[in-house]
Amino acid sequence: PRSVPHSARSLTTSVDRVAVIGAGQMGIGIAYVASKTAGVDVLISDRSASQLSKGLHFVDTLLGKEVKKGKLSNGEADQVRSRIRGARENGLEGGEFADVDLAIEAVSESLPVKQAIFSSLATHLPPHAILASNTSSISLSTLAASAVSQSGENRASQVVGFHFFNPVPVMKLVELIPALQTDPTVLATAREFAERMGKTVTQSADTPGFISNRLLMPFINEAILALEAGVGSKEDIDTTLKLGMNHPMGPLTLADFIGLDTCLSIMEVLQRETGDCKYRPAVLLGRMVSAGYLGKKSGRGFYNYD
Ligand code: CAA
């Protein structure tokens, strides 16, 4: 399709209405902080209606805990909750996204799924909107290339990486990743909004794993290789890092917490895109994922969870 140059549009410089695509642990955390700290209206959608209601229920749980701790009054919690709305449709159709300034995609790390979402966002968001992705390893320049609407409008310059950390309400960082195509206004507005969410921003080039996972995933993978090699028990590996280096969680506990499928897919991206064998995923990591032992979310990973 013919591309319309972006200079024909004016881009948003302030964000009042946010959409979050994906109501998993990251999407819900992002929606919660956007409403609670930045004070904006949030529309959240998921292709699974049951995941969406589970996610919204989790928002209620988080707010209930804040009220119990005395960090929010009942009235404040009600306000935070009232700004978050679940989308009526499972997809992005239906006109619900017509007044969104910033959409943040937070679905699982699958390139085709994310590409389909970016093409759909390019079709259904208003012309000024920012299209952000919470991807932890997929190239933003690749995702931006799929931000073309059904009528041929090219929105690649409106795409930016907006990488949060789990648990989103607690972790203070957003890693900002410009695609090669990102307009500087989009980058500046995204940075400002991350700061409104109470986060500190670092910027990373669009390279495999960005700063965070280029460093974190080989560390986690090395812990799994050490376990495979019998260097120590899982408890001894974790305790060594936790107490010897003051990490809040040992690397195997952290892998379970992140999700072993996510860890594997990030290692695969690092290995594939760099061609460097130092990023080879541990065999045990692949086997655990094949077995469905995905960590905390599936009830079993390196450890068992009730
Ligand atoms: N949502 C909201 N709040 C949460 C939470 C959640 N899911 N989990 C914990 N918290 C809050 C608790 O309510 C508590 O708040 P208060 O201080 O107000 O009481 C606070 O966090 C501390 O929690 P706990 O006392 O229960 O437990 P803890 O002190 O062991 O902290 C932790 C829990 C914050 C998760 C800590 O263990 C930690 O920082 N772990 C490392 C997390 C990490 O590295 N995350 C990044 C993963 S990488 C990633 O996400 C990106 C990627 O690309 C892979």
Side-chain angles (χ1 to χ4, degrees):
R2 190 178 62 84
S3 287
V4 177
H6 122 268
S7 54
R9 292 190 290 272
S10 64
L11 299 167
T12 193
T13 51
S14 74
V15 173
D16 296 317
R17 277 169 295 271
V18 169
V20 177
I21 319 303
Q25 57 184 358
M26 297 304 286
I28 284 297
I30 294 166
Y32 174 76
V33 179
S35 170
K36 179 169 172 257
T37 311
V40 295
D41 289 330
V42 184
L43 175 65
I44 180 153
S45 80
D46 197 290
R47 64 182 173 186
S48 149
S50 70
Q51 180 64 44
L52 182 58
S53 64
K54 203 172 130 194
L56 291 171
H57 183 69
F58 187 60
V59 171
D60 295 333
T61 307
L62 287 176
L63 286 169
K65 282 187 184 165
E66 294 290 280
V67 170
K68 216 169 164 186
K69 285 186 212 161
K71 293 191 174 177
L72 287 181
S73 68
N74 273 316
E76 286 164 336
D78 288 346
Q79 277 180 9
V80 173
R81 182 65 184 83
S82 70
R83 285 193 288 266
I84 303 176
R85 187 164 68 75
R88 287 185 299 273
E89 306 280 334
N90 292 352
L92 303 181
E93 305 80 15
E96 284 186 275
F97 292 79
D99 63 355
V100 164
D101 304 312
L102 165 68
I104 306 172
E105 168 277 311
V107 306
S108 57
E109 289 293 281
S110 155
L111 178 60
V113 173
K114 285 186 195 278
Q115 283 173 319
I117 288 173
F118 273 84
S119 145
S120 194
L121 288 173
T123 303
H124 296 289
L125 292 185
H128 68 270
I130 295 176
L131 288 64
S133 175
N134 178 52
T135 181
S136 46
S137 64
I138 292 175
S139 156
L140 271 305
S141 306
T142 305
L143 289 179
S146 60
V148 178
S149 75
Q150 271 161 12
S151 58
E153 271 186 294
N154 186 334
R155 305 240 184 141
S157 64
Q158 290 162 254
V159 172
V160 68
F162 212 53
H163 183 208
F164 289 85
F165 296 81
N166 190 18
V168 179
V170 181
M171 305 307 279
K172 294 273 176 257
L173 186 71
V174 169
E175 197 175 30
L176 204 58
I177 306 108
L180 289 180
Q181 305 96 317
T182 306
D183 187 292
T185 308
V186 168
L187 192 62
T189 306
R191 173 180 285 270
E192 194 184 52
F193 187 68
E195 287 167 355
R196 257 176 85 195
M197 289 178 77
K199 305 300 183 191
T200 296
V201 176
T202 55
Q203 187 171 319
S204 168
D206 184 22
T207 58
F210 319 132
I211 297 173
S212 54
N213 283 319
R214 181 190 179 116
L215 275 67
L216 175 64
M217 284 305 154
F219 163 65
I220 285 177
N221 197 53
E222 198 59 41
I224 302 170
L225 291 170
L227 180 66
E228 266 182 350
V231 178
S233 67
K234 59 188 180 209
E235 291 84 3
D236 282 344
I237 291 170
D238 272 354
T239 304
T240 301
L241 274 297
K242 200 173 162 186
L243 301 186
M245 287 85 197
N246 249 2
H247 289 197
M249 289 173 164
L252 301 171
T253 306
L254 182 57
D256 276 356
F257 181 71
I258 291 169
L260 301 188
D261 50 343
T262 302
C263 294
L264 178 62
S265 87
I266 297 173
M267 284 306 292
E268 286 170 346
V269 168
L270 287 168
Q271 185 186 35
R272 191 171 58 243
E273 293 199 354
T274 63
D276 192 330
C277 63
K278 77 177 178 183
Y279 296 118
R280 180 182 67 78
V283 170
L284 178 60
L285 176 60
R287 294 284 188 272
M288 303 267 300
V289 172
S290 304
Y293 301 159
L294 305 183
K296 203 173 167 199
K297 65 184 167 191
S298 72
R300 178 165 175 182
F302 292 105
Y303 298 90
N304 289 323
Y305 303 87
D306 297 324

